[in-house]
Amino acid sequence: MVQRVAVIGAGPSGLTAMKACLDEGMVPTCFESSDDMGGLWKFKEVSEPNRASIYRSLTINISKEMMCYSDFPIPADYPNYMHHSKILKYFRMYAEHFKLLEHIRFQTSVKSVRQRSDFARTGQWEVVTETRDGQEERHVFDAVICCAGHYTYPNLPLKDFPGIETFEGKYFHSWDYKGPEDMYGKRVVVIGIGNSGGDIAVEASRVADQVYVSTRRGAWVIRQVSDNGLPVDMKYNTRFVHILFQLLPINFLNWFGEKKLNAMYDHTMYALKPTHRLFSQIPVINDDLPLKILCGSVIVKPNVKEIRGSTVVFDDGSVVEKVDTIVFATGYNYDFPFLPSSALYKSGHRVGMYKHVFPPNLEHPTLAVVGFIHALGAIMPQAEMQARWVARVFKGHKKLPSNKAMIKAVEKDTKDIDKNYIVSKLTPLQVDFVSYMDDIAGEVGVRPSLPWLFFTDYALFKRVLWGPVTAYQYRLMGPGKWEGARRAIFTQFDRMYQPLKTRQQEPSNTGRLIKLSLTLMAGGAAAYYVHVHNPTTISTLLSKLHPQTV
């Protein structure tokens, strides 16, 4: 019976993993190498080795209702797209509300996680930790949850850029970027057009002499602000849209989505059009980048061919001279250096885990990885769903398939990912947000049933089907049911609107007056037409409406 659980990392995945363990009656101990919780969202002026890093101005590109935990809505007055400082405040409120802080050991890093000699019988693990002052400790846990994230080890592929050793300026990875202060009046080349590369290019363009973005494949760029000013994920990440994706051919969906994006800004004209289709890779979410391209402060270039001193040569033969700074927004490597290699099953060029959580080759399912997932959606609700499943497996409420069946499922996942998505060794996994959430929710027993809602609560059914797939949907029924889930769904748009209502405005009567005028004009025109073509009709109708006397 699992009682004591080690949780590695106090970021968003670690916090929800602790809560899931507590909900199932287990005792978690979380080891966090930093002096504070929050993981990626804990800003540091200087990047620390073996830790995720963010820049000073970073604002999340997922709206608050789509990123919050399922039983703890983000305050209504918080902006829809939050600065990292607000996100950290939310995590602290979550930790304090569910009394998680008492289970975290700060400034304590995990050096190794190894199976005990009697693992075949007990399934237990020995965890070796080291405090900030170098004191080493050994612990025994019944189970381990790894929540270390995958933005920790920057990928700096200098060998792919001949002549980089001759570069006369400054170059660094986006992991080291904190702000544009050192780019005033400079000529900057940003290599990579992911979300970080796009953000850095836009921010640098406000102070730099000129910014160039080099991209090997291009990218589809979508806006955070969607139709009618709604956050794009609340507008389109719905169950109805998800059902359409199951019913319609992917080629049609790609064509329709690309047509809609090109109606805003033609990706070919902006030199952005990628070699892949829209839904084959997670798009870049950036409202400002197309405007900066239109203004000329950001110029899109192909892949870098070579570097000659302060000159950068691109694949198309074009040359940019007097370059001062090169920023490598070239992604991250992932690693689990503290885990035994025997616990990690290799599938193709990725670490294969059953449903991206459990190593499929262990004798006991007492090791899990939470938050190691990639989808067009926030990590918080996905990690929470994974953690709820893990806690129920650890507690014995849910049984995993045989090792053979899990390995077969992992291999199928690898083939499906390679078939449906453009992935690389840096991003070896990608899933559909709703499909994956529903899959794991089915394992937990909390997947919302649309037929059941249709017959028992039609008002809620409409909001679940047509509204955004917020995490509250997975607290409506089953283990961990939250009584506030229904109300949270009914009020999610109220919380979206509230931070926008910063100025009192009198309701406009213009629309009503226009409608009334049009109605009167149409009615008058109809009456005139009838009177001209049949003069007695109206008088006959009026006489019939006149009360008769007895």
Side-chain angles (χ1 to χ4, degrees):
M1 179 70 70
V2 172
Q3 293 294 337
R4 299 181 66 241
V5 180
V7 178
I8 304 172
S13 300
L15 293 176
T16 193
M18 282 189 283
K19 180 181 179 296
C21 289
L22 291 170
D23 287 346
E24 292 292 343
M26 296 177 286
V27 181
T29 301
C30 179
F31 299 105
E32 171 56 51
S33 60
S34 180
D35 55 0
D36 199 358
M37 45 159 284
L40 169 69
W41 300 100
K42 174 60 180 176
F43 174 74
K44 297 274 188 178
E45 284 291 346
V46 178
S47 301
E48 297 179 350
N50 301 321
R51 284 189 56 79
S53 175
I54 57 176
Y55 38 95
R56 194 173 296 107
S57 64
L58 181 64
T59 298
I60 196 168
N61 57 18
I62 304 293
S63 67
K64 66 177 181 179
E65 288 298 304
M66 300 297 292
M67 65 153 280
C68 68
Y69 296 117
S70 60
D71 54 357
F72 195 73
I74 292 172
D77 61 339
Y78 274 36
N80 285 283
Y81 292 112
M82 296 187 291
H83 184 258
H84 62 74
S85 59
K86 288 281 190 182
I87 297 173
L88 189 60
K89 285 181 181 179
Y90 169 68
F91 290 147
R92 284 175 178 157
M93 287 189 288
Y94 179 82
E96 290 168 3
H97 181 78
F98 292 110
K99 297 179 173 57
L100 304 178
L101 294 174
E102 60 194 71
H103 298 280
I104 305 176
R105 294 184 58 175
F106 291 108
Q107 298 187 2
T108 304
S109 58
V110 173
K111 307 305 291 184
S112 69
V113 175
R114 296 291 182 269
Q115 297 165 332
R116 298 195 74 205
S117 57
D118 59 354
F119 181 83
R121 180 174 60 85
T122 65
Q124 291 181 329
W125 299 83
E126 181 182 81
V127 178
V128 179
T129 62
E130 184 178 85
T131 60
R132 182 64 61 89
D133 57 10
Q135 182 179 352
E136 191 172 279
E137 296 181 18
R138 295 179 182 271
H139 318 261
V140 175
F141 288 97
D142 300 313
V144 176
I145 306 178
C146 174
C147 305
H150 53 284
Y151 296 111
T152 302
Y153 308 103
N155 174 55
L156 195 61
L158 298 183
K159 60 180 177 55
D160 294 337
F161 298 91
I164 184 66
E165 70 280 357
T166 70
F167 183 57
E168 299 170 359
K170 176 183 179 182
Y171 69 84
F172 55 90
H173 192 274
S174 57
W175 180 81
D176 282 310
Y177 177 81
K178 298 299 174 182
E181 294 80 11
D182 295 334
M183 297 180 179
Y184 278 86
K186 301 289 181 65
R187 291 167 68 80
V188 180
V189 173
V190 178
I191 299 176
I193 198 173
N195 283 304
S196 293
D199 284 351
I200 292 171
V202 166
E203 188 166 74
S205 71
R206 298 189 177 106
V207 299
D209 176 62
Q210 184 63 63
V211 174
Y212 301 88
V213 172
S214 167
T215 172
R216 182 175 301 170
R217 286 197 301 259
W220 294 105
V221 180
I222 66 175
R223 300 183 303 174
Q224 291 171 269
V225 183
S226 185
D227 303 339
N228 301 316
L230 293 176
V232 66
D233 47 8
M234 292 192 75
K235 178 75 174 179
Y236 291 108
N237 202 348
T238 69
R239 287 194 176 276
F240 177 74
V241 171
H242 177 67
I243 291 171
L244 291 180
F245 268 78
Q246 311 307 307
L247 298 176
L248 298 176
I250 189 63
N251 285 337
F252 170 79
L253 294 167
N254 278 317
W255 170 83
F256 183 81
E258 291 165 10
K259 183 177 176 63
K260 188 171 180 63
L261 290 183
N262 282 324
M264 290 182 282
Y265 27 79
D266 189 308
H267 281 60
T268 300
M269 183 171 69
Y270 279 66
L272 289 168
K273 186 178 179 180
T275 55
H276 59 268
R277 303 304 301 272
L278 174 57
F279 297 112
S280 296
Q281 192 177 67
I282 293 176
V284 173
I285 305 175
N286 196 311
D287 290 51
D288 297 326
L289 182 59
L291 174 61
K292 293 298 181 180
I293 295 172
L294 196 61
C295 295
S297 52
V298 172
I299 297 175
V300 181
K301 304 293 286 184
N303 195 45
V304 173
K305 181 179 180 180
E306 65 175 317
I307 297 165
R308 304 172 188 159
S310 62
T311 299
V312 176
V313 183
F314 299 94
D315 278 347
D316 62 355
S318 62
V319 173
V320 173
E321 298 178 336
K322 299 181 180 178
V323 174
D324 302 288
T325 306
I326 298 177
V327 182
F328 287 89
T330 45
Y332 292 82
N333 297 302
Y334 67 91
D335 194 13
F336 305 98
F338 42 80
L339 293 179
S341 57
S342 59
L344 300 177
Y345 176 81
K346 292 290 289 184
S347 176
H349 56 255
R350 73 185 186 100
V351 172
M353 289 175 285
Y354 179 60
K355 296 186 185 291
H356 309 296
V357 176
F358 288 99
N361 55 336
L362 297 177
E363 295 172 88
H364 295 279
T366 54
L367 172 65
V369 177
V370 166
F372 187 60
I373 196 73
H374 201 47
L376 184 55
I379 188 62
M380 297 77 172
Q382 295 176 90
E384 181 186 41
M385 188 58 66
Q386 290 177 329
R388 293 172 68 184
W389 179 37
V390 167
R392 291 189 64 77
V393 170
F394 283 176
K395 199 63 178 177
H397 297 315
K398 188 70 181 178
K399 186 176 176 61
L400 296 181
S402 66
N403 291 80
K404 183 178 179 180
M406 287 194 289
I407 289 174
K408 184 177 180 180
V410 168
E411 296 298 339
K412 183 179 183 303
D413 277 346
T414 299
K415 292 178 182 177
D416 289 345
I417 291 170
D418 288 340
K419 176 183 176 182
N420 297 323
Y421 301 105
I422 302 295
V423 294
S424 67
K425 292 182 179 180
L426 301 181
T427 56
L429 57 89
Q430 185 174 334
V431 297
D432 175 74
F433 178 81
V434 179
S435 295
Y436 185 72
M437 289 286 286
D438 278 355
D439 184 22
I440 305 303
E443 296 287 348
V444 181
V446 296
R447 179 176 178 172
S449 170
L450 288 176
W452 183 81
L453 290 174
F454 179 84
F455 289 108
T456 62
D457 193 337
Y458 185 69
L460 179 59
F461 164 81
K462 289 191 296 182
R463 284 165 173 79
V464 170
L465 175 64
W466 296 100
V469 185
T470 46
Y472 317 125
Q473 295 187 9
Y474 301 100
R475 291 284 181 180
L476 290 170
M477 54 191 70
K481 178 181 177 181
W482 176 46
E483 293 302 324
R486 185 180 187 276
R487 185 174 185 278
I489 291 172
F490 273 77
T491 56
Q492 57 196 3
F493 277 97
D494 295 336
R495 286 187 297 278
M496 189 275 289
Y497 289 130
Q498 182 163 327
L500 303 175
K501 296 179 178 179
T502 56
R503 182 171 69 89
Q504 294 293 331
Q505 300 179 76
E506 292 295 328
S508 174
N509 292 319
T510 304
R512 295 178 184 175
L513 290 173
I514 292 174
K515 288 181 180 178
L516 179 60
S517 300
L518 291 173
T519 301
L520 291 173
M521 289 172 61
Y528 177 76
Y529 178 86
V530 171
H531 177 71
V532 169
H533 289 81
N534 197 340
T536 62
T537 300
I538 295 177
S539 59
T540 303
L541 287 173
L542 290 174
S543 65
K544 289 182 178 180
L545 292 174
H546 194 276
Q548 296 180 352
T549 57
V550 179

